């Protein structure tokens, strides 16, 4: 057994701070989107790339980040991830054109994909000697996720309103430098020999990006146009190539045998549909507050705080207790149905609506559904995996959440645009478009809830999990 690290709690502070910042990296941009759109010339449909560029890079490379952490050493990969995240932040803050902004966000996503799995590996190294300490460390590390989401919503409004939108990226530079200086507190453990499935990582990331690009452009060029058909066919071919590589390679990113783990498939389906419903809700709610109700950046961020505070309270203090009492299946299925109810309520927004009537109650119902479903889905995906595959199961379920988020946002942006959301300044048309997006997000969430109740194996209530009650980490990226 390795010696107990006497500086492990200080090291946890570094890891929790990293978790806080990685989650805040998405939530902080939400209220800045309209200002970025105006300054950089994004169209209403293209604006989603500020979000999706990060999500695609992050989700597509998470498994590769975990593999590199094993092979090269977790501290080295953690440090490299921060260097890349800082570089992406500099590029995003300095962007003068839309495409440079998108590239900067993608670079940030690459950094996040290295930081997240290596941080979890380092935490396990530091606290695996004592299950009680590990549970406490996991709870503290997990609490940093919803805290980061909440802080991002507030700070994004502050920076955008009283400074300028580049500050939502500039803030990462000094914090990143301070984190790099503190990495000496982290254990330096060597890697091991093995192969890296770079081709598989490229195939899955490129396939996802091409699918999103096709869906984004389809309303403009036509769903049956040659370009759309070829792009979707190319995406399918790349994703098929990924699965062929996983089947034939000796050391793939995702050994396909992992899918024999009980409930992994149904939990990943639930997570995919959860991401596809929740992320578009958060995205279009930001736009409704600013483009229809006329809120400034700070007021918009403040308007989303009740929702994010509710998420933080439930994810850190209540959901684990409910999971211990009722098991995962009813919470996931019920949570998705509650989310669907909140989204359907949001679809009744009016051009002359108010926050108190049109936004607050419906957003709290939606947030309740999200907080009930996310952690149980994460734990259901991981609970049946043997110890040596727990990290892989966690990486897969986080990846499917990000994939669902990216594809859901692309599809519902196409829906919203086709229903009038591209007509800036036309409040009835904008509201109709946003309402259509909320309706279809509700359909997606309801489908996820019903499929979970039909397909997932039942489980007996079990003690609240010690490990990672807040892998809400990656899901809270959704709370934005």
């Amino acid at each position: 057994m390795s010696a107990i690290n006497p500086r492990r709690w200080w090291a946890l502070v570094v890891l929790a701070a990293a978790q806080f910042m990685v989650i805040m990296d998405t939530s902080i941009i939400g209220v800045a989107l309209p200002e970025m759109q105006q300054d950089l010339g994004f169209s209403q449909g293209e604006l989603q790339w500020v979000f999706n560029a990060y999500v695609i890079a992050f989700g597509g490379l998470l498994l590769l980040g975990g593999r590199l952490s094993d092979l090269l050493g977790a501290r080295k990969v953690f440090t490299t991830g921060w260097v890349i995240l800082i570089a992406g932040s500099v590029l995003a803050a300095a962007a003068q054109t839309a495409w440079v902004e998108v590239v900067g966000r993608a670079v940030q996503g690459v950094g996040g994909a290295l930081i997240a799995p290596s941080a979890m590996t380092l935490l396990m190294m530091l606290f695996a000697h004592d299950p009680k300490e590990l549970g406490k460390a996991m709870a503290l590390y997990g609490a940093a996720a919803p805290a980061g989401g909440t802080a991002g919503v507030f700070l994004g409004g502050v920076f955008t309103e009283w400074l300028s939108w580049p500050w939502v990226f500039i803030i990462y530079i000094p914090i990143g430098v301070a984190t790099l200086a503190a990495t000496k507190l982290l254990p330096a453990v060597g890697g091991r020999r093995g192969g890296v499935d770079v081709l598989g990582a490229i195939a899955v990331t490129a396939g996802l990006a091409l699918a999103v690009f096709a869906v984004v452009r389809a309303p403009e060029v036509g769903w049956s146009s040659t370009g759309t058909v070829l792009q979707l066919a190319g995406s399918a071919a790349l994703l098929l190539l990924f699965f062929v590589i996983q089947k034939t390679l000796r050391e793939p990113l995702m050994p396909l045998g992992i899918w024999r783990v009980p409930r992994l498939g149904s939990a990943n389906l639930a997570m995919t549909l959860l991401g596809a419903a929740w992320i578009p809700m958060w995205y279009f709610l930001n736009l409704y507050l600013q483009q229809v109700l006329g809120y400034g950046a700070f007021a918009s961020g403040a308007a989303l705080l009740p929702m994010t505070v509710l998420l933080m309270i439930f994810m850190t203090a209540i959901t684990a207790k409910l999971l211990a009492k009722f098991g995962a299946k009813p919470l996931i299925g019920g949570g998705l149905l509650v989310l669907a109810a909140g989204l359907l309520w949001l679809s009744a927004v009016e051009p002359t609506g108010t926050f108190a009537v049109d936004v607050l109650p419906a957003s709290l119902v939606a947030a309740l559904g999200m907080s009930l479903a996310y952690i149980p889905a994460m734990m259901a995906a991981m609970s049946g995996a043997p110890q040596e595959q727990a990290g892989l199961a966690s990486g897969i379920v986080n990846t499917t959440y990000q994939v669902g988020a990216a594809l859901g946002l692309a599809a519902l942006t196409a829906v919203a645009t086709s229903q009038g959301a591209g007509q800036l300044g036309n409040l009835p048309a904008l509201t109709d478009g946003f309402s259509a997006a909320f309706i279809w997000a509700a359909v997606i969430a309801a489908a996820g809830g019903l499929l979970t109740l039909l397909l997932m194996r039942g489980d007996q209530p079990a003690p609240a999990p010690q490990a990672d009650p807040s892998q809400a980490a990656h899901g809270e990226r959704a709370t934005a």
Side-chain angles (χ1 to χ4, degrees), residues 267-277 397 400-401 403-405 407 444:
N268 273 276
L269 176 61
M271 286 294 279
T272 301
L273 296 176
L274 182 61
V397 76
T400 58
Y401 180 88
V403 168
L407 292 177
I444 292 170

Side-chain angles (χ1 to χ4, degrees), residues 116-214:
S118 57
M120 183 59 64
T121 301
L122 288 164
L123 188 149
M124 295 298 294
M125 289 177 180
L126 289 163
F127 294 98
H129 65 278
D130 184 337
K132 288 186 178 180
E133 281 199 1
L134 179 61
K136 184 178 179 181
M138 285 288 190
L140 293 171
Y141 178 81
T150 302
V153 169
F154 177 74
L155 291 176
V158 171
F159 290 150
T160 306
E161 185 83 12
W162 286 300
L163 294 172
S164 59
W165 66 259
W167 279 91
V168 303
F169 303 115
I170 292 171
I171 186 63
Y172 286 92
I173 299 170
I175 294 175
V177 171
T179 302
L180 289 174
T183 54
K184 61 184 179 182
L185 294 169
L186 304 175
V189 179
R192 59 182 176 81
R193 304 181 85 180
V196 179
D197 181 13
V198 175
L199 182 58
I202 292 173
V204 69
T205 306
L208 174 59
L210 191 56
V212 171
F213 181 76

Side-chain angles (χ1 to χ4, degrees), residues 297-443:
F298 177 75
S300 179
L304 296 175
L305 276 178
M307 181 172 63
T308 54
V309 169
L310 185 148
L311 276 161
M312 183 170 67
I313 292 171
F314 263 79
M315 283 188 168
T316 58
I318 298 175
T319 304
K321 295 178 181 178
L322 295 176
L323 180 60
K325 185 174 183 179
F326 298 107
K329 179 178 177 178
L331 289 183
I332 301 168
L336 279 160
L337 292 175
V338 171
L339 173 59
L343 286 162
L344 198 59
W345 193 347
L346 275 175
S347 71
V349 291
E350 297 284 349
T352 56
T354 65
F355 169 72
V357 174
D358 293 71
V359 175
L360 179 61
S363 68
L364 291 178
V365 171
L368 175 62
M370 170 66 176
S371 62
L372 288 174
Y374 184 82
I375 293 174
M378 177 68 68
M379 300 312 298
M382 297 174 60
S383 61
Q387 186 173 0
E388 65 273 12
Q389 290 186 315
L392 175 61
S394 173
I396 290 172
V397 76
N398 279 311
T399 298
T400 58
Y401 180 88
Q402 304 300 331
V403 168
L407 292 177
L409 181 56
L412 295 186
T413 296
V415 168
T417 302
S418 69
Q419 297 299 312
Q423 301 179 39
L424 289 177
N426 185 335
L427 300 191
L430 282 171
T431 305
D432 287 345
F434 298 154
S435 178
F438 291 139
I439 289 173
W440 281 102
V443 171

